Amino acid sequence: MKTQSRILLSVVSSLAVSIVVAFIAFSIQRGMNSELKRIETFSNIIEKTYALHILTASSKEKMAPSDIRQVKEILVALDHQLKKMPSRSRREEVLINQLQKSHQELGPLIDQTLASGQTASATEIERQNILGSQIRMEVQFISDDTKRLIDISQKRVIEAQQKTGAMVI
């Protein structure tokens, strides 16, 4: 082989290896971005459930119309986010199903709380306390399951970062 052919072959092979490495790094980066978006979505769900908790916990008396509207908007937004949430593993699927179940149970509880009368009888107060306790439990279930999903996504991001580091080396 001539020197010129060897140089050309080494340049072409170097370019090919560089393209393959860049493609792999791009794929890993794309996966990381996807997981980071999921973490953002999960954090948004936690914020919404916390807002529900605050709105419903502070309503010992009849809620203001703006608070009722806000609660309903949050429930609709949560429903939308939970319905479009894909799972990437069996464990995630179980957690997402639990999230959806908790959300489905939360809606009627909040509706009952909003529909309760203004009578301040002992029975009604006890009923409101029980409903409030059930709402807090469902909100906590949603928050806990969402935090587990965040942990799963964060582990995937760390794994992707480690793969990228290994690729660079």
Side-chain angles (χ1 to χ4, degrees):
M1 252 190 182
K2 293 182 184 178
T3 306
Q4 188 177 19
S5 298
R6 286 183 184 170
I7 292 173
L8 184 59
L9 181 61
S10 69
V11 168
V12 169
S13 63
S14 294
L15 283 174
V17 168
S18 296
I19 289 171
V20 168
V21 168
F23 178 74
I24 292 171
F26 177 73
S27 297
I28 293 171
Q29 182 67 31
R30 197 167 128 203
M32 281 177 46
N33 287 341
S34 173
E35 288 302 324
L36 290 173
K37 285 179 186 175
R38 286 173 59 91
I39 290 171
E40 184 178 328
T41 300
F42 297 147
S43 296
N44 193 357
I45 290 171
I46 289 175
E47 288 173 11
K48 284 181 178 18
T49 56
Y50 182 71
L52 276 177
H53 172 70
I54 296 295
L55 286 168
T56 56
S58 65
S59 65
K60 298 293 182 198
E61 302 167 5
K62 187 125 177 108
M63 290 178 76
S66 62
D67 291 340
I68 294 171
R69 181 180 41 77
Q70 199 173 10
V71 166
K72 289 181 180 184
E73 286 173 359
I74 291 171
L75 285 173
V76 168
L78 273 174
D79 186 53
H80 179 70
Q81 283 185 319
L82 291 173
K83 282 183 179 177
K84 70 176 186 171
M85 190 180 304
S87 63
R88 297 191 176 157
S89 68
R90 178 69 182 131
R91 183 175 176 207
E92 278 188 10
E93 184 178 340
V94 169
L95 288 171
I96 290 171
N97 287 339
Q98 287 175 340
L99 276 171
Q100 291 169 341
K101 181 181 174 229
S102 294
H103 177 264
Q104 289 170 350
E105 292 171 359
L106 182 63
L109 291 173
I110 289 177
D111 288 343
Q112 289 176 29
T113 300
L114 296 177
S116 66
Q118 284 200 351
T119 58
S121 68
T123 313
E124 184 61 29
I125 292 171
E126 182 64 25
R127 182 176 172 272
Q128 283 288 56
N129 289 337
I130 291 170
L131 284 173
S133 175
Q134 290 174 328
I135 289 171
R136 283 188 296 278
M137 282 179 28
E138 293 300 331
V139 166
Q140 190 61 46
F141 291 154
I142 291 171
S143 294
D144 290 346
D145 291 340
T146 305
K147 287 176 186 175
R148 286 186 195 104
L149 288 168
I150 287 173
D151 290 342
I152 292 169
S153 287
Q154 286 175 336
K155 287 177 185 174
R156 285 190 184 135
V157 169
I158 290 169
E159 289 171 4
Q161 288 172 339
Q162 290 171 344
K163 284 179 186 177
T164 303
M167 285 298 300
V168 169
I169 292 174

